[in-house]
Amino acid sequence: MDVGADEFEQNLPLLQELVQGADFLGLDIEFTGLRTNLSGSQQISLFDLPSEWYLKTRRSVQQFTICQIGLSVFSSVEGESNRYIAHSCNFFLFPTTFGILDSEFSFQASSVQFLNQYGFDYNKFLKHGIPYMNEEQEKQIKHSILTGNWRVRSSLDKDQMKAVIDEVTRWLHLAEEGDWMTLPGIAGFQAFEVQLVLRQALPDIWTVLRDQAVIVKKVSRQHRWYLQNTSSDRESCWKEKILLSARGFSVFFQMLVKAQKQPLVGHNMLMDLLHLHEKFFRPLPESYHQFKRNIHSLFPVLLDTKNVTKDIWKDLNFPRVSNLSEVHEVLSSDLNPTKDSGPVIIHASKCERYAETKYPHEAAYDAFLCGSVLLKVAHLLLWRVHGAGPTPEPSFPRYLDVLAPYVNQVNLIRAGVPKINFSGPDYPSIRPPILVLSVRRWPGVTEQQIYREFQSLCKFDVRRLTRNQFLLLTNKFKDARSVLREYRGHPTLQVSLYRYWRHSPDVRCLLQVCGIVTAWALLTFLLGRPGP
């Protein structure tokens, strides 16, 4: 089901009911871009500590925005064992442009091309996107609205508003008291805004919102005074309604936060969490640890299917996969020994098209895949725990028990550790050892040249250590072994394991200083000895 600005408010009560009754929520987000084109040391690297990776990625999150959020709400079917129904929704979003708020964001050509390839409707994003704001922006706009210090945002809006006022003014000259006119096609918080402007500009009218239109009625000034002071439609109420509509999807975000008992499930979901924090909660803090604390407070139970499947894939001898769709295909195939005994998942009535056709990289479809993969892999883990013995009656609480080691462990791509622990300290690195490359007879060699040298054999991240030495790091142990073997005895490129006390320039400098001091002390001792 697709939800834009026109349908959002009327669907909000249903969405709240679904979330409150859910076992867990699948999430996927599409963006206008992924990473800024940083160069040199600003690029993410396997050498990065999680805090360094976070600070580099934070810039990209601030530059790009969300264009679509997919949510798939999974609920157990009452009275039926191990059967789930999934309600999947696509939310098209666009930043609130109201009052002092006018966000700037970038598009990345490759991301636009990628989404376009999979049929993404940019008109729904740009024309019908649900507004949203974070808490800091809400404070600004709330202050502006409630103090009366607000204005129409863009010159286009001003032109439209002027045209509306001119149309109503012309009509007023000919109208009699009690006559009314309709301004069609005005909805959402723009309708509240139009009414406030008209009421402030024209003292002998009253306005009412009805069926995607604003009704303007000519009234006497006495009747206008009466309506302003006795009507439930007073201006102060309207300002609160404007704020509520301008918050848009942020209202639903707060509902998700309040439903903290339900796990939030994603696949490679770290970028999703960064954007959720920045766009709906607060601007991302400079502190990595503060970010972790904030996310854990918002969503105490996180499950990343990338982290779970990566951990068990090799043990099960499943074929290599590169994306979420392929993971789902393997778990749904005969390669999965629990395929026939696993959970049954059905689509809600408005989401049945996902049962018939695949829609990769459509956010709601990918959110559904996240939830489906979680149930299938949890059932597989439950089966493995009990081995040849009888497997207990499957239920989601039992699935959560076997998934406990993976709770709040979110996959981290290209960094010094493979995952982030949102409920405690991060685990130490299990990456292959760092290699050191010593270069001979290659003056002026650069990191890029070293990268290209090894590119045909395997991929390494390269960092300069000294003028003629470079550090090499890969995330595959076999690549490290291969390079050590292939470059043994090489005439100009000598590769060995990096040892801090042997290769660190700081340690070398310290040892040199200690050697000089020791030599001076010995010389002074010898020269100061009395002769025979």
Side-chain angles (χ1 to χ4, degrees):
M1 180 172 71
D2 289 351
V3 181
D6 295 340
E7 306 87 15
F8 177 68
E9 289 189 25
Q10 68 189 50
N11 280 295
L12 202 52
L14 172 61
L15 293 168
Q16 183 176 16
E17 182 182 344
L18 289 173
V19 168
Q20 289 174 345
D23 287 298
F24 67 94
L25 311 171
L27 173 76
D28 184 70
I29 304 181
E30 304 296 340
F31 316 108
T32 60
L34 290 178
R35 292 198 173 276
T36 51
N37 294 316
L38 301 173
S39 59
S41 62
Q42 294 305 307
Q43 290 182 329
I44 61 168
S45 163
L46 293 173
F47 291 100
D48 291 339
L49 298 172
S51 56
E52 295 171 324
W53 185 98
Y54 167 76
L55 288 175
K56 291 177 180 179
T57 307
R58 177 173 173 257
R59 298 188 187 97
S60 298
V61 173
Q62 292 168 336
Q63 180 170 336
F64 301 114
T65 197
I66 294 171
C67 51
Q68 188 184 61
I69 286 185
L71 197 71
S72 194
V73 183
F74 283 76
S75 307
S76 304
V77 177
E78 190 173 352
E80 300 191 40
S81 175
N82 209 24
R83 189 176 179 89
Y84 297 83
I85 185 169
H87 292 81
S88 304
C89 299
N90 283 311
F91 299 93
F92 291 88
L93 270 57
F94 194 83
T96 295
T97 54
F98 182 80
I100 60 174
L101 295 186
D102 190 14
S103 302
E104 296 181 3
F105 61 87
S106 300
F107 284 90
Q108 196 164 34
S110 58
S111 294
V112 172
Q113 191 176 41
F114 177 81
L115 289 179
N116 192 54
Q117 178 184 346
Y118 288 97
F120 184 80
D121 190 340
Y122 279 95
N123 280 326
K124 290 185 177 180
F125 161 54
L126 296 169
K127 294 183 178 181
H128 305 292
I130 305 165
Y132 63 87
M133 63 180 73
N134 62 33
E135 291 182 0
E136 295 297 320
Q137 294 169 323
E138 183 180 343
K139 288 177 184 176
Q140 298 174 32
I141 196 171
K142 187 173 185 178
H143 177 77
S144 297
I145 290 174
L146 297 183
T147 58
N149 181 27
W150 62 280
R151 57 191 172 85
V152 182
R153 176 71 252 172
S154 69
S155 58
L156 178 61
D157 289 335
K158 290 176 183 177
D159 291 341
Q160 291 175 334
M161 196 68 73
K162 184 177 182 299
V164 168
I165 294 173
D166 289 345
E167 181 182 355
V168 174
T169 302
R170 288 193 300 270
W171 169 79
L172 272 176
H173 287 312
L174 303 174
E176 295 182 1
E177 189 175 320
D179 289 349
W180 54 272
M181 70 172 293
T182 302
L183 300 173
I186 302 176
F189 71 85
Q190 287 85 0
F192 299 136
E193 182 181 7
V194 166
Q195 293 182 82
L196 278 176
V197 169
L198 288 174
R199 291 182 186 185
Q200 289 174 354
L202 304 170
D204 51 352
I205 60 109
W206 191 247
T207 59
V208 179
L209 180 61
R210 186 178 300 156
D211 297 331
Q212 305 289 311
V214 173
I215 307 300
V216 182
K217 186 177 182 179
K218 186 172 183 178
V219 298
S220 66
R221 298 199 177 198
Q222 292 84 356
H223 189 47
R224 164 69 178 263
W225 180 90
Y226 173 80
L227 290 170
Q228 284 186 178
N229 288 278
T230 61
S231 172
S232 60
D233 210 17
R234 292 190 297 273
E235 188 171 302
S236 59
C237 298
W238 278 86
K239 290 180 178 179
E240 289 291 348
K241 290 179 180 178
I242 288 176
L243 178 60
L244 182 64
S245 290
R247 287 179 65 203
F249 191 83
S250 303
V251 175
F252 185 50
F253 175 78
Q254 290 302 322
M255 292 179 184
L256 297 178
V257 171
K258 289 177 182 177
Q260 291 191 343
K261 63 185 179 70
Q262 289 99 338
L264 187 66
V265 181
H267 188 82
N268 254 342
M269 66 189 303
L270 187 52
M271 290 297 287
D272 297 343
L273 295 173
L274 286 160
H275 276 275
L276 288 177
H277 190 300
E278 172 78 14
K279 304 305 188 295
F280 307 116
F281 181 53
R282 295 170 190 164
L284 286 167
E286 291 189 10
S287 166
Y288 163 69
H289 296 289
Q290 184 62 53
F291 162 70
K292 284 178 58 176
R293 286 192 293 269
N294 290 349
I295 289 295
H296 188 55
S297 174
L298 294 169
F299 304 109
V301 185
L302 297 171
L303 283 163
D304 187 342
T305 54
K306 174 69 174 182
N307 181 51
V308 181
T309 54
K310 186 172 67 172
D311 188 59
I312 69 170
W313 218 247
K314 286 185 179 179
D315 294 342
L316 295 165
N317 292 318
F318 284 162
R320 177 178 292 185
V321 291
S322 60
N323 56 52
L324 176 61
S325 294
E326 292 178 0
V327 171
H328 185 263
E329 286 177 9
V330 170
L331 291 172
S332 303
S333 71
D334 292 334
L335 294 171
N336 180 0
T338 64
K339 174 195 170 187
D340 296 329
S341 63
V344 176
I345 305 167
I346 58 175
H347 294 278
S349 58
K350 294 183 179 180
C351 316
E352 289 176 340
R353 67 190 181 104
Y354 290 161
E356 302 165 358
T357 310
K358 297 177 182 179
Y359 292 87
H361 305 293
E362 183 171 295
Y365 180 74
D366 282 357
F368 165 75
L369 291 186
C370 287
S372 181
V373 164
L374 183 83
L375 290 172
K376 291 175 184 294
V377 80
H379 189 79
L380 186 56
L381 287 169
L382 187 66
W383 174 77
R384 292 183 69 197
V385 166
H386 293 277
T391 302
E393 185 71 24
S395 65
F396 193 68
R398 284 202 172 100
Y399 286 160
L400 279 181
D401 288 341
V402 295
L403 288 167
Y406 305 100
V407 170
N408 294 327
Q409 312 297 313
V410 175
N411 190 60
L412 181 57
I413 302 174
R414 296 199 68 77
V417 298
K419 57 188 175 182
I420 288 177
N421 179 18
F422 278 94
S423 53
D426 294 325
Y427 295 102
S429 173
I430 54 172
R431 301 287 192 200
I434 299 175
L435 307 181
V436 61
L437 170 68
S438 300
V439 181
R440 300 174 183 171
R441 299 190 298 275
W442 194 351
V445 62
T446 65
E447 292 179 357
Q448 290 74 22
Q449 289 173 313
I450 296 298
Y451 177 83
R452 287 194 292 269
E453 167 69 26
F454 290 94
Q455 190 174 14
S456 60
L457 185 62
C458 50
K459 288 186 177 181
F460 279 90
D461 281 1
V462 181
R463 179 172 291 182
R464 184 182 289 277
L465 181 65
T466 65
R467 186 168 61 89
N468 293 317
Q469 286 187 313
F470 297 85
L471 299 178
L472 308 177
L473 186 56
T474 180
N475 55 6
K476 296 181 180 179
F477 282 90
K478 66 175 184 178
D479 288 348
R481 291 192 295 267
S482 174
V483 165
L484 285 169
R485 182 177 61 252
E486 291 294 328
Y487 281 81
R488 185 182 297 140
H490 195 280
T492 59
L493 302 175
Q494 181 182 353
V495 182
S496 60
L497 293 176
Y498 174 76
R499 306 295 184 196
Y500 179 76
W501 292 105
R502 179 181 176 186
H503 297 108
S504 170
D506 294 337
V507 173
R508 285 184 178 181
C509 181
L510 179 62
L511 292 175
Q512 288 175 355
V513 170
C514 290
I516 293 171
V517 171
T518 302
W520 273 106
L522 180 61
L523 182 61
T524 302
F525 173 75
L526 293 174
L527 293 177
R529 292 178 60 187

